[in-house]
mmCIF file with all atom_site columns, all heavy atoms in Angstrom:
data_model
loop_
_atom_site.group_PDB
_atom_site.id
_atom_site.type_symbol
_atom_site.label_atom_id
_atom_site.label_alt_id
_atom_site.label_comp_id
_atom_site.label_asym_id
_atom_site.label_entity_id
_atom_site.label_seq_id
_atom_site.pdbx_PDB_ins_code
_atom_site.Cartn_x
_atom_site.Cartn_y
_atom_site.Cartn_z
_atom_site.occupancy
_atom_site.B_iso_or_equiv
_atom_site.pdbx_formal_charge
_atom_site.auth_seq_id
_atom_site.auth_comp_id
_atom_site.auth_asym_id
_atom_site.auth_atom_id
_atom_site.pdbx_PDB_model_num
ATOM 1   N N   . PRO T 1 152 ? -6.090  -4.438  11.827  1.00 90.00 ? 177 PRO T N   1
ATOM 2   C CA  . PRO T 1 152 ? -6.273  -5.069  10.491  1.00 90.00 ? 177 PRO T CA  1
ATOM 3   C C   . PRO T 1 152 ? -6.863  -6.446  10.529  1.00 90.00 ? 177 PRO T C   1
ATOM 4   O O   . PRO T 1 152 ? -7.077  -7.031  9.438   1.00 90.00 ? 177 PRO T O   1
ATOM 5   C CB  . PRO T 1 152 ? -4.812  -5.098  9.890   1.00 90.00 ? 177 PRO T CB  1
ATOM 6   C CG  . PRO T 1 152 ? -3.950  -5.008  11.152  1.00 90.00 ? 177 PRO T CG  1
ATOM 7   C CD  . PRO T 1 152 ? -4.692  -4.194  12.180  1.00 90.00 ? 177 PRO T CD  1
ATOM 8   N N   . ARG T 1 153 ? -7.095  -7.008  11.720  1.00 87.00 ? 178 ARG T N   1
ATOM 9   C CA  . ARG T 1 153 ? -7.754  -8.279  11.743  1.00 87.00 ? 178 ARG T CA  1
ATOM 10  C C   . ARG T 1 153 ? -9.268  -8.135  11.450  1.00 87.00 ? 178 ARG T C   1
ATOM 11  O O   . ARG T 1 153 ? -9.903  -9.129  11.136  1.00 87.00 ? 178 ARG T O   1
ATOM 12  C CB  . ARG T 1 153 ? -7.529  -8.902  13.106  1.00 87.00 ? 178 ARG T CB  1
ATOM 13  C CG  . ARG T 1 153 ? -6.145  -9.407  13.393  1.00 87.00 ? 178 ARG T CG  1
ATOM 14  C CD  . ARG T 1 153 ? -5.909  -9.862  14.816  1.00 87.00 ? 178 ARG T CD  1
ATOM 15  N NE  . ARG T 1 153 ? -6.087  -8.745  15.825  1.00 87.00 ? 178 ARG T NE  1
ATOM 16  C CZ  . ARG T 1 153 ? -5.858  -8.826  16.996  1.00 87.00 ? 178 ARG T CZ  1
ATOM 17  N NH1 . ARG T 1 153 ? -5.321  -9.958  17.494  1.00 87.00 ? 178 ARG T NH1 1
ATOM 18  N NH2 . ARG T 1 153 ? -5.983  -7.827  17.882  1.00 87.00 ? 178 ARG T NH2 1
ATOM 19  N N   . GLU T 1 154 ? -9.742  -6.912  11.508  1.00 87.00 ? 179 GLU T N   1
ATOM 20  C CA  . GLU T 1 154 ? -11.136 -6.643  11.135  1.00 87.00 ? 179 GLU T CA  1
ATOM 21  C C   . GLU T 1 154 ? -11.216 -6.505  9.605   1.00 87.00 ? 179 GLU T C   1
ATOM 22  O O   . GLU T 1 154 ? -10.455 -5.810  9.017   1.00 87.00 ? 179 GLU T O   1
ATOM 23  C CB  . GLU T 1 154 ? -11.637 -5.354  11.812  1.00 87.00 ? 179 GLU T CB  1
ATOM 24  C CG  . GLU T 1 154 ? -11.657 -5.489  13.370  1.00 87.00 ? 179 GLU T CG  1
ATOM 25  C CD  . GLU T 1 154 ? -12.146 -4.221  14.023  1.00 87.00 ? 179 GLU T CD  1
ATOM 26  O OE1 . GLU T 1 154 ? -12.519 -3.252  13.281  1.00 87.00 ? 179 GLU T OE1 1
ATOM 27  O OE2 . GLU T 1 154 ? -12.181 -4.142  15.227  1.00 87.00 ? 179 GLU T OE2 1
ATOM 28  N N   . LYS T 1 155 ? -12.216 -7.105  9.055   1.00 83.00 ? 180 LYS T N   1
ATOM 29  C CA  . LYS T 1 155 ? -12.342 -7.105  7.613   1.00 83.00 ? 180 LYS T CA  1
ATOM 30  C C   . LYS T 1 155 ? -12.528 -5.676  7.037   1.00 83.00 ? 180 LYS T C   1
ATOM 31  O O   . LYS T 1 155 ? -11.934 -5.356  5.989   1.00 83.00 ? 180 LYS T O   1
ATOM 32  C CB  . LYS T 1 155 ? -13.584 -7.953  7.163   1.00 83.00 ? 180 LYS T CB  1
ATOM 33  C CG  . LYS T 1 155 ? -13.671 -8.189  5.701   1.00 83.00 ? 180 LYS T CG  1
ATOM 34  C CD  . LYS T 1 155 ? -14.749 -9.193  5.342   1.00 83.00 ? 180 LYS T CD  1
ATOM 35  C CE  . LYS T 1 155 ? -14.842 -9.512  3.873   1.00 83.00 ? 180 LYS T CE  1
ATOM 36  N NZ  . LYS T 1 155 ? -15.809 -10.531 3.573   1.00 83.00 ? 180 LYS T NZ  1
ATOM 37  N N   . SER T 1 156 ? -13.278 -4.844  7.750   1.00 81.00 ? 181 SER T N   1
ATOM 38  C CA  . SER T 1 156 ? -13.429 -3.452  7.243   1.00 81.00 ? 181 SER T CA  1
ATOM 39  C C   . SER T 1 156 ? -12.087 -2.722  7.177   1.00 81.00 ? 181 SER T C   1
ATOM 40  O O   . SER T 1 156 ? -11.887 -1.949  6.280   1.00 81.00 ? 181 SER T O   1
ATOM 41  C CB  . SER T 1 156 ? -14.392 -2.755  8.140   1.00 81.00 ? 181 SER T CB  1
ATOM 42  O OG  . SER T 1 156 ? -13.883 -2.628  9.463   1.00 81.00 ? 181 SER T OG  1
ATOM 43  N N   . GLU T 1 157 ? -11.174 -3.022  8.123   1.00 87.00 ? 182 GLU T N   1
ATOM 44  C CA  . GLU T 1 157 ? -9.868  -2.389  8.087   1.00 87.00 ? 182 GLU T CA  1
ATOM 45  C C   . GLU T 1 157 ? -9.059  -2.892  6.937   1.00 87.00 ? 182 GLU T C   1
ATOM 46  O O   . GLU T 1 157 ? -8.259  -2.179  6.301   1.00 87.00 ? 182 GLU T O   1
ATOM 47  C CB  . GLU T 1 157 ? -9.077  -2.627  9.397   1.00 87.00 ? 182 GLU T CB  1
ATOM 48  C CG  . GLU T 1 157 ? -9.665  -1.776  10.558  1.00 87.00 ? 182 GLU T CG  1
ATOM 49  C CD  . GLU T 1 157 ? -9.797  -0.321  10.240  1.00 87.00 ? 182 GLU T CD  1
ATOM 50  O OE1 . GLU T 1 157 ? -8.931  0.234   9.505   1.00 87.00 ? 182 GLU T OE1 1
ATOM 51  O OE2 . GLU T 1 157 ? -10.715 0.312   10.732  1.00 87.00 ? 182 GLU T OE2 1
ATOM 52  N N   . ARG T 1 158 ? -9.175  -4.161  6.602   1.00 86.00 ? 183 ARG T N   1
ATOM 53  C CA  . ARG T 1 158 ? -8.370  -4.752  5.471   1.00 86.00 ? 183 ARG T CA  1
ATOM 54  C C   . ARG T 1 158 ? -8.888  -4.074  4.174   1.00 86.00 ? 183 ARG T C   1
ATOM 55  O O   . ARG T 1 158 ? -8.105  -3.843  3.265   1.00 86.00 ? 183 ARG T O   1
ATOM 56  C CB  . ARG T 1 158 ? -8.528  -6.251  5.409   1.00 86.00 ? 183 ARG T CB  1
ATOM 57  C CG  . ARG T 1 158 ? -7.869  -6.931  6.613   1.00 86.00 ? 183 ARG T CG  1
ATOM 58  C CD  . ARG T 1 158 ? -7.562  -8.382  6.358   1.00 86.00 ? 183 ARG T CD  1
ATOM 59  N NE  . ARG T 1 158 ? -8.720  -9.201  6.168   1.00 86.00 ? 183 ARG T NE  1
ATOM 60  C CZ  . ARG T 1 158 ? -9.472  -9.762  7.168   1.00 86.00 ? 183 ARG T CZ  1
ATOM 61  N NH1 . ARG T 1 158 ? -9.076  -9.558  8.440   1.00 86.00 ? 183 ARG T NH1 1
ATOM 62  N NH2 . ARG T 1 158 ? -10.459 -10.501 6.908   1.00 86.00 ? 183 ARG T NH2 1
ATOM 63  N N   . ILE T 1 159 ? -10.183 -3.765  4.111   1.00 82.00 ? 184 ILE T N   1
ATOM 64  C CA  . ILE T 1 159 ? -10.701 -3.076  2.943   1.00 82.00 ? 184 ILE T CA  1
ATOM 65  C C   . ILE T 1 159 ? -10.149 -1.684  2.820   1.00 82.00 ? 184 ILE T C   1
ATOM 66  O O   . ILE T 1 159 ? -9.687  -1.228  1.760   1.00 82.00 ? 184 ILE T O   1
ATOM 67  C CB  . ILE T 1 159 ? -12.263 -3.075  2.959   1.00 82.00 ? 184 ILE T CB  1
ATOM 68  C CG1 . ILE T 1 159 ? -12.821 -4.461  2.722   1.00 82.00 ? 184 ILE T CG1 1
ATOM 69  C CG2 . ILE T 1 159 ? -12.844 -2.092  1.928   1.00 82.00 ? 184 ILE T CG2 1
ATOM 70  C CD1 . ILE T 1 159 ? -14.312 -4.635  2.875   1.00 82.00 ? 184 ILE T CD1 1
ATOM 71  N N   . PHE T 1 160 ? -10.052 -0.987  3.994   1.00 87.00 ? 185 PHE T N   1
ATOM 72  C CA  . PHE T 1 160 ? -9.474  0.351   3.997   1.00 87.00 ? 185 PHE T CA  1
ATOM 73  C C   . PHE T 1 160 ? -7.988  0.239   3.573   1.00 87.00 ? 185 PHE T C   1
ATOM 74  O O   . PHE T 1 160 ? -7.554  1.127   2.836   1.00 87.00 ? 185 PHE T O   1
ATOM 75  C CB  . PHE T 1 160 ? -9.576  0.916   5.451   1.00 87.00 ? 185 PHE T CB  1
ATOM 76  C CG  . PHE T 1 160 ? -9.217  2.341   5.555   1.00 87.00 ? 185 PHE T CG  1
ATOM 77  C CD1 . PHE T 1 160 ? -10.088 3.332   5.385   1.00 87.00 ? 185 PHE T CD1 1
ATOM 78  C CD2 . PHE T 1 160 ? -7.854  2.693   5.792   1.00 87.00 ? 185 PHE T CD2 1
ATOM 79  C CE1 . PHE T 1 160 ? -9.732  4.670   5.498   1.00 87.00 ? 185 PHE T CE1 1
ATOM 80  C CE2 . PHE T 1 160 ? -7.480  4.023   5.920   1.00 87.00 ? 185 PHE T CE2 1
ATOM 81  C CZ  . PHE T 1 160 ? -8.453  5.067   5.765   1.00 87.00 ? 185 PHE T CZ  1
ATOM 82  N N   . ILE T 1 161 ? -7.293  -0.774  3.968   1.00 89.00 ? 186 ILE T N   1
ATOM 83  C CA  . ILE T 1 161 ? -5.862  -0.967  3.661   1.00 89.00 ? 186 ILE T CA  1
ATOM 84  C C   . ILE T 1 161 ? -5.730  -1.086  2.112   1.00 89.00 ? 186 ILE T C   1
ATOM 85  O O   . ILE T 1 161 ? -4.859  -0.529  1.502   1.00 89.00 ? 186 ILE T O   1
ATOM 86  C CB  . ILE T 1 161 ? -5.243  -2.107  4.419   1.00 89.00 ? 186 ILE T CB  1
ATOM 87  C CG1 . ILE T 1 161 ? -4.943  -1.687  5.839   1.00 89.00 ? 186 ILE T CG1 1
ATOM 88  C CG2 . ILE T 1 161 ? -3.988  -2.662  3.731   1.00 89.00 ? 186 ILE T CG2 1
ATOM 89  C CD1 . ILE T 1 161 ? -4.627  -2.794  6.812   1.00 89.00 ? 186 ILE T CD1 1
ATOM 90  N N   . VAL T 1 162 ? -6.589  -1.900  1.491   1.00 84.00 ? 187 VAL T N   1
ATOM 91  C CA  . VAL T 1 162 ? -6.475  -2.052  0.047   1.00 84.00 ? 187 VAL T CA  1
ATOM 92  C C   . VAL T 1 162 ? -6.849  -0.812  -0.658  1.00 84.00 ? 187 VAL T C   1
ATOM 93  O O   . VAL T 1 162 ? -6.285  -0.465  -1.704  1.00 84.00 ? 187 VAL T O   1
ATOM 94  C CB  . VAL T 1 162 ? -7.342  -3.282  -0.418  1.00 84.00 ? 187 VAL T CB  1
ATOM 95  C CG1 . VAL T 1 162 ? -7.372  -3.315  -1.908  1.00 84.00 ? 187 VAL T CG1 1
ATOM 96  C CG2 . VAL T 1 162 ? -6.862  -4.564  0.164   1.00 84.00 ? 187 VAL T CG2 1
ATOM 97  N N   . LYS T 1 163 ? -7.774  -0.002  -0.089  1.00 83.00 ? 188 LYS T N   1
ATOM 98  C CA  . LYS T 1 163 ? -8.062  1.264   -0.652  1.00 83.00 ? 188 LYS T CA  1
ATOM 99  C C   . LYS T 1 163 ? -6.881  2.207   -0.619  1.00 83.00 ? 188 LYS T C   1
ATOM 100 O O   . LYS T 1 163 ? -6.583  2.980   -1.510  1.00 83.00 ? 188 LYS T O   1
ATOM 101 C CB  . LYS T 1 163 ? -9.253  1.937   0.125   1.00 83.00 ? 188 LYS T CB  1
ATOM 102 C CG  . LYS T 1 163 ? -10.619 1.406   -0.302  1.00 83.00 ? 188 LYS T CG  1
ATOM 103 C CD  . LYS T 1 163 ? -10.972 1.817   -1.691  1.00 83.00 ? 188 LYS T CD  1
ATOM 104 C CE  . LYS T 1 163 ? -12.281 1.370   -2.123  1.00 83.00 ? 188 LYS T CE  1
ATOM 105 N NZ  . LYS T 1 163 ? -12.641 1.685   -3.553  1.00 83.00 ? 188 LYS T NZ  1
ATOM 106 N N   . CYS T 1 164 ? -6.119  2.169   0.534   1.00 88.00 ? 189 CYS T N   1
ATOM 107 C CA  . CYS T 1 164 ? -4.900  2.904   0.630   1.00 88.00 ? 189 CYS T CA  1
ATOM 108 C C   . CYS T 1 164 ? -3.874  2.469   -0.422  1.00 88.00 ? 189 CYS T C   1
ATOM 109 O O   . CYS T 1 164 ? -3.173  3.366   -1.047  1.00 88.00 ? 189 CYS T O   1
ATOM 110 C CB  . CYS T 1 164 ? -4.262  2.750   2.022   1.00 88.00 ? 189 CYS T CB  1
ATOM 111 S SG  . CYS T 1 164 ? -5.169  3.515   3.393   1.00 88.00 ? 189 CYS T SG  1
ATOM 112 N N   . LEU T 1 165 ? -3.799  1.229   -0.650  1.00 84.00 ? 190 LEU T N   1
ATOM 113 C CA  . LEU T 1 165 ? -2.886  0.643   -1.701  1.00 84.00 ? 190 LEU T CA  1
ATOM 114 C C   . LEU T 1 165 ? -3.316  1.147   -3.080  1.00 84.00 ? 190 LEU T C   1
ATOM 115 O O   . LEU T 1 165 ? -2.497  1.463   -3.897  1.00 84.00 ? 190 LEU T O   1
ATOM 116 C CB  . LEU T 1 165 ? -3.008  -0.877  -1.681  1.00 84.00 ? 190 LEU T CB  1
ATOM 117 C CG  . LEU T 1 165 ? -1.864  -1.682  -2.303  1.00 84.00 ? 190 LEU T CG  1
ATOM 118 C CD1 . LEU T 1 165 ? -0.478  -1.253  -1.771  1.00 84.00 ? 190 LEU T CD1 1
ATOM 119 C CD2 . LEU T 1 165 ? -2.053  -3.162  -2.147  1.00 84.00 ? 190 LEU T CD2 1
ATOM 120 N N   . GLN T 1 166 ? -4.636  1.209   -3.318  1.00 79.00 ? 191 GLN T N   1
ATOM 121 C CA  . GLN T 1 166 ? -5.129  1.747   -4.557  1.00 79.00 ? 191 GLN T CA  1
ATOM 122 C C   . GLN T 1 166 ? -4.817  3.192   -4.747  1.00 79.00 ? 191 GLN T C   1
ATOM 123 O O   . GLN T 1 166 ? -4.348  3.622   -5.812  1.00 79.00 ? 191 GLN T O   1
ATOM 124 C CB  . GLN T 1 166 ? -6.666  1.562   -4.657  1.00 79.00 ? 191 GLN T CB  1
ATOM 125 C CG  . GLN T 1 166 ? -7.127  0.216   -5.042  1.00 79.00 ? 191 GLN T CG  1
ATOM 126 C CD  . GLN T 1 166 ? -8.685  0.215   -5.145  1.00 79.00 ? 191 GLN T CD  1
ATOM 127 O OE1 . GLN T 1 166 ? -9.359  0.420   -4.129  1.00 79.00 ? 191 GLN T OE1 1
ATOM 128 N NE2 . GLN T 1 166 ? -9.153  -0.057  -6.279  1.00 79.00 ? 191 GLN T NE2 1
ATOM 129 N N   . PHE T 1 167 ? -4.986  3.961   -3.655  1.00 82.00 ? 192 PHE T N   1
ATOM 130 C CA  . PHE T 1 167 ? -4.725  5.383   -3.719  1.00 82.00 ? 192 PHE T CA  1
ATOM 131 C C   . PHE T 1 167 ? -3.246  5.660   -4.088  1.00 82.00 ? 192 PHE T C   1
ATOM 132 O O   . PHE T 1 167 ? -2.926  6.504   -4.913  1.00 82.00 ? 192 PHE T O   1
ATOM 133 C CB  . PHE T 1 167 ? -5.005  6.012   -2.385  1.00 82.00 ? 192 PHE T CB  1
ATOM 134 C CG  . PHE T 1 167 ? -4.865  7.515   -2.312  1.00 82.00 ? 192 PHE T CG  1
ATOM 135 C CD1 . PHE T 1 167 ? -5.915  8.365   -2.636  1.00 82.00 ? 192 PHE T CD1 1
ATOM 136 C CD2 . PHE T 1 167 ? -3.660  8.094   -2.016  1.00 82.00 ? 192 PHE T CD2 1
ATOM 137 C CE1 . PHE T 1 167 ? -5.812  9.737   -2.637  1.00 82.00 ? 192 PHE T CE1 1
ATOM 138 C CE2 . PHE T 1 167 ? -3.504  9.473   -1.974  1.00 82.00 ? 192 PHE T CE2 1
ATOM 139 C CZ  . PHE T 1 167 ? -4.562  10.321  -2.303  1.00 82.00 ? 192 PHE T CZ  1
ATOM 140 N N   . ALA T 1 168 ? -2.357  4.881   -3.460  1.00 81.00 ? 193 ALA T N   1
ATOM 141 C CA  . ALA T 1 168 ? -0.881  5.121   -3.688  1.00 81.00 ? 193 ALA T CA  1
ATOM 142 C C   . ALA T 1 168 ? -0.501  4.847   -5.124  1.00 81.00 ? 193 ALA T C   1
ATOM 143 O O   . ALA T 1 168 ? 0.502   5.334   -5.599  1.00 81.00 ? 193 ALA T O   1
ATOM 144 C CB  . ALA T 1 168 ? -0.108  4.272   -2.712  1.00 81.00 ? 193 ALA T CB  1
ATOM 145 N N   . SER T 1 169 ? -1.261  3.999   -5.807  1.00 73.00 ? 194 SER T N   1
ATOM 146 C CA  . SER T 1 169 ? -0.830  3.567   -7.175  1.00 73.00 ? 194 SER T CA  1
ATOM 147 C C   . SER T 1 169 ? -1.829  4.095   -8.260  1.00 73.00 ? 194 SER T C   1
ATOM 148 O O   . SER T 1 169 ? -1.731  3.653   -9.356  1.00 73.00 ? 194 SER T O   1
ATOM 149 C CB  . SER T 1 169 ? -0.742  2.045   -7.245  1.00 73.00 ? 194 SER T CB  1
ATOM 150 O OG  . SER T 1 169 ? -2.003  1.439   -6.886  1.00 73.00 ? 194 SER T OG  1
ATOM 151 N N   . SER T 1 170 ? -2.679  5.056   -7.914  1.00 71.00 ? 195 SER T N   1
ATOM 152 C CA  . SER T 1 170 ? -3.656  5.528   -8.848  1.00 71.00 ? 195 SER T CA  1
ATOM 153 C C   . SER T 1 170 ? -3.236  6.833   -9.432  1.00 71.00 ? 195 SER T C   1
ATOM 154 O O   . SER T 1 170 ? -2.351  7.516   -9.018  1.00 71.00 ? 195 SER T O   1
ATOM 155 C CB  . SER T 1 170 ? -5.047  5.779   -8.168  1.00 71.00 ? 195 SER T CB  1
ATOM 156 O OG  . SER T 1 170 ? -5.552  4.512   -7.741  1.00 71.00 ? 195 SER T OG  1
ATOM 157 N N   . ASP T 1 171 ? -3.866  7.203   -10.617 1.00 64.00 ? 196 ASP T N   1
ATOM 158 C CA  . ASP T 1 171 ? -3.671  8.497   -11.255 1.00 64.00 ? 196 ASP T CA  1
ATOM 159 C C   . ASP T 1 171 ? -4.581  9.569   -10.574 1.00 64.00 ? 196 ASP T C   1
ATOM 160 O O   . ASP T 1 171 ? -5.250  9.232   -9.601  1.00 64.00 ? 196 ASP T O   1
ATOM 161 C CB  . ASP T 1 171 ? -3.932  8.459   -12.716 1.00 64.00 ? 196 ASP T CB  1
ATOM 162 C CG  . ASP T 1 171 ? -5.338  7.939   -13.066 1.00 64.00 ? 196 ASP T CG  1
ATOM 163 O OD1 . ASP T 1 171 ? -6.259  8.007   -12.167 1.00 64.00 ? 196 ASP T OD1 1
ATOM 164 O OD2 . ASP T 1 171 ? -5.612  7.630   -14.209 1.00 64.00 ? 196 ASP T OD2 1
ATOM 165 N N   . ILE T 1 172 ? -4.644  10.748  -11.090 1.00 62.00 ? 197 ILE T N   1
ATOM 166 C CA  . ILE T 1 172 ? -5.375  11.858  -10.437 1.00 62.00 ? 197 ILE T CA  1
ATOM 167 C C   . ILE T 1 172 ? -6.847  11.491  -10.302 1.00 62.00 ? 197 ILE T C   1
ATOM 168 O O   . ILE T 1 172 ? -7.468  11.648  -9.247  1.00 62.00 ? 197 ILE T O   1
ATOM 169 C CB  . ILE T 1 172 ? -5.220  13.134  -11.269 1.00 62.00 ? 197 ILE T CB  1
ATOM 170 C CG1 . ILE T 1 172 ? -3.801  13.614  -11.293 1.00 62.00 ? 197 ILE T CG1 1
ATOM 171 C CG2 . ILE T 1 172 ? -6.158  14.198  -10.748 1.00 62.00 ? 197 ILE T CG2 1
ATOM 172 C CD1 . ILE T 1 172 ? -3.500  14.763  -12.232 1.00 62.00 ? 197 ILE T CD1 1
ATOM 173 N N   . VAL T 1 173 ? -7.460  10.979  -11.395 1.00 61.00 ? 198 VAL T N   1
ATOM 174 C CA  . VAL T 1 173 ? -8.874  10.686  -11.349 1.00 61.00 ? 198 VAL T CA  1
ATOM 175 C C   . VAL T 1 173 ? -9.228  9.601   -10.270 1.00 61.00 ? 198 VAL T C   1
ATOM 176 O O   . VAL T 1 173 ? -10.098 9.689   -9.508  1.00 61.00 ? 198 VAL T O   1
ATOM 177 C CB  . VAL T 1 173 ? -9.359  10.180  -12.729 1.00 61.00 ? 198 VAL T CB  1
ATOM 178 C CG1 . VAL T 1 173 ? -10.783 9.764   -12.653 1.00 61.00 ? 198 VAL T CG1 1
ATOM 179 C CG2 . VAL T 1 173 ? -9.169  11.262  -13.756 1.00 61.00 ? 198 VAL T CG2 1
#
Side-chain angles (χ1 to χ4, degrees):
R178 289 173 297 189
E179 296 178 5
K180 190 171 184 178
S181 61
E182 288 306 326
R183 295 200 295 274
I184 290 174
F185 188 89
I186 282 169
V187 172
K188 280 291 182 184
C189 290
L190 198 56
Q191 280 182 298
F192 184 89
S194 58
S195 292
D196 58 16
I197 295 171
V198 177

